[in-house]
Amino acid sequence: MILSRFHFLATLLVATAAACMPAAAQLASKPGAVVTTPHVRAELVAHAPNGVSPGAPVWVGLQITHQPEWHTYWKNAGDSGLPTELNWTLPAGVAAGEIAWPVPKKIPIGNLANYGYEGTVLLPVPLEVSSNFKPPLALGTGASGLDIRLKATWLVCRKECIPEEGEFTLALPLQGSTALHKAEFDVAQAAQPQPLDKQGTVEVSGNNLQVRLEGLPAAAQGKTLGFFPETPELIRTAAVSGKDWTQSWQGGTWTATLPLADQRSASPTTLPLVVTLAEGDRQPGQPVAWRTEAPVSGTWPTTAPRAEVSPALQAALAANAANAAAPAPPAELPAQPAGTFVVALLGAVLGGLLLNLMPCVFPILAIKVLGFARQAGNRSAHRTAGLAYTGGVMLSFLALGGAMLALRAAGAQLGWGFQLQSPAVVAALAALFTLIGLNLAGVFEFGRAAPLSVCSAQAKHPIANDFLSGVLAVVIASPCTAPFMGVSLGFAIGLPAAQALLLFAALGLGLALPYLVAGFVPAIARLLPKPGPWMNTLRRLLAFPMFATVAWLVWVLGQQSGIDGAGTLLALLVCMAAIVWALTLRGRTRLVIATVLFAFTAVLTAAIGRNVLQTVEPAKLASSAGQRWQPWSAARVAELTGAGQPVFIDFTAAWCVTCQYNKKATLADADVLADFDGKKVAMLRADWTRRDPAITAALTSLGRSGVPLYVLQAPGKPPVVLTEILGKDEVRAALAAL
């Protein structure tokens, strides 16, 4: 009985994977200091240079890192958009001030313009701690702290606008300096407009504003200034200085004439405004902007009826308002043109076919071929087995794809192959393949190690065996799809759910197609040799690919849980193998030895089993990679490219076989490394072995949902995405083009 088609074991695997998926969803929805979406990474940060005490300066803030081309908004958003809103929940005796808005930039969009932020911005807020503040004691520690909770909403836009929100928590210790984010708060402080000593004046003259400011410092005099009114919908935001509005200097006095908005919504008596230096005129350590609240004189012209807000903006505003009460469902994605989608489906089928050649799939397919040979001459059994296997493959791809789409819609940052980012799933797979290997090697048969009821159930339901073998093939094979399906899977994530799931089903059809065709074409079945003694030899030979798969899975777990996790898993696998062997014995010996081994394994699991599920910090693992490769972060990429240095990013994972091949065959080549050094390219490695929302967001922004992915990014140029199966000539040619 060749594993009885591993019905019992595959059932165990499905139950384990199902148990792990809700845990992933709960983890993703748990509030913390960081919220990551496909468009921004938002983090609640704090700075208390003298600790938390009455009268001491305490700052908190929301730091938003935007994906390229995306932006959020200033307090006056401009022609469209909404400012970011921060709603704090603080202990009694602690009050939050207003956002100290950094200087925005003008963002033209067609014939409109917005005021907002790109790149990374920190919105700082001062906290006032009164003498009435009484910090709670943490149970069992005697320590106390300041618990900060924030609910933030923001509108992030590129050409389209997406309302987003996040809930954040942060525990700020009372004693000592909290200086982890000092540099970010210093940058935000430097970007604050300084108050002017003199108010200045604003006069309404026809359809224009006449602005007059005095007291600007010598560093600003004679320079072209940017103008940002804090009152929205007042001036024509998209007006260009020198063309649509004018400014001039008379000594130390700055004057400007600005056109009023065609559909003005306010007629203030005092106008808060900010003027800024152009970015090229700013000097480190010097003020970059100035603020005043100028009285307004003159008569405001009668306003024309306001034009209707566009349906797109109405939808964005309504969705953003709904977010305040409950998370809004994701916007309906546009269906793709029929021709484009058909090409994507054909590509998915082809990718699934090629997946049969990947080494991670071979052990499962080899067992299927062996089972196919055992049914030689039985055409009906061939067809039934082919259909059952295909059903298992396609439904499993649909389940994995649907789970990923659902979790991502709920806010989790997942990508294709996410199941192997869980140490629990990796350990369960290692145990499963160990049992398969032991069975193939002849250590045990289910007729002796399993209850008779289990064996008879397997014999009565061969269709279920074939179906579950398809499930197992998908679970172990799906992370290997990236070399053939990287673009298509990234494309699928951006499709409506029905089209995306159809693409996943096409991928499954491609994987199952050879076995399905073999079941319905007798000529293919006749190519297989007749059943005979060779099958027992092949069966034992197939045990070694299974054990090789176990070795790979243990190595993957070592990347996630460290050497202690890998060692613990190996010890538990040995115990499991010993228990399986004991169950093959007869009589009282079987009962005694199996009981002792069960007890020993239980004690060992209680003592060190947690090592398997622990996670090792990425920085600890990255330090072993040597000085050439640096850990990836969006901030590090921005820092390097801002300094004029090109960057090469390797998005990789330990469970990605293609990634490991590319590392050894291409990225470790002496000539390739010499070219990197010659072009002074910084080399960053984004390790996705463990779940990392920031890496997932970066992959999504590049149109991918899995690894490997290789990106060469030069300052001032769009990123260059290389092919997943990386060749030396391709890398050297891309470097030469720099």
Side-chain angles (χ1 to χ4, degrees), residues 77-99:
D79 283 326
S80 63
L82 290 168
T84 299
E85 295 184 0
L86 306 181
N87 296 300
W88 302 93
T89 300
L90 301 168
V94 181
E98 298 296 325
I99 299 174

Side-chain angles (χ1 to χ4, degrees), residues 58-62 86 88 95-100 122-127 185:
V58 179
W59 287 87
V60 292
L62 185 67
L86 306 181
W88 302 93
E98 298 296 325
I99 299 174
L122 172 61
L123 304 179
V125 173
L127 295 186
F185 279 93

Side-chain angles (χ1 to χ4, degrees), residues 617-697:
E617 291 296 327
K620 296 179 182 178
L621 297 175
S623 63
S624 65
Q627 297 300 316
R628 178 180 294 277
W629 289 95
Q630 306 174 41
W632 172 90
S633 71
R636 182 60 176 155
V637 173
E639 178 185 351
L640 290 168
T641 55
Q645 187 174 7
V647 173
F648 178 82
I649 308 171
D650 172 16
F651 291 91
T652 185
W655 40 261
C656 170
V657 177
T658 309
C659 301
Q660 307 312 316
Y661 172 80
N662 289 337
K663 282 182 187 178
K664 304 298 183 184
T666 300
L667 295 180
D669 181 77
D671 293 334
V672 172
L673 294 176
D675 286 354
F676 276 116
D677 293 338
K679 294 290 185 177
K680 294 182 172 54
V681 177
M683 303 175 72
L684 306 184
R685 183 155 280 158
D687 189 349
W688 206 42
T689 301
R690 295 158 299 280
R691 189 171 296 128
D692 189 321
I695 295 177
T696 307

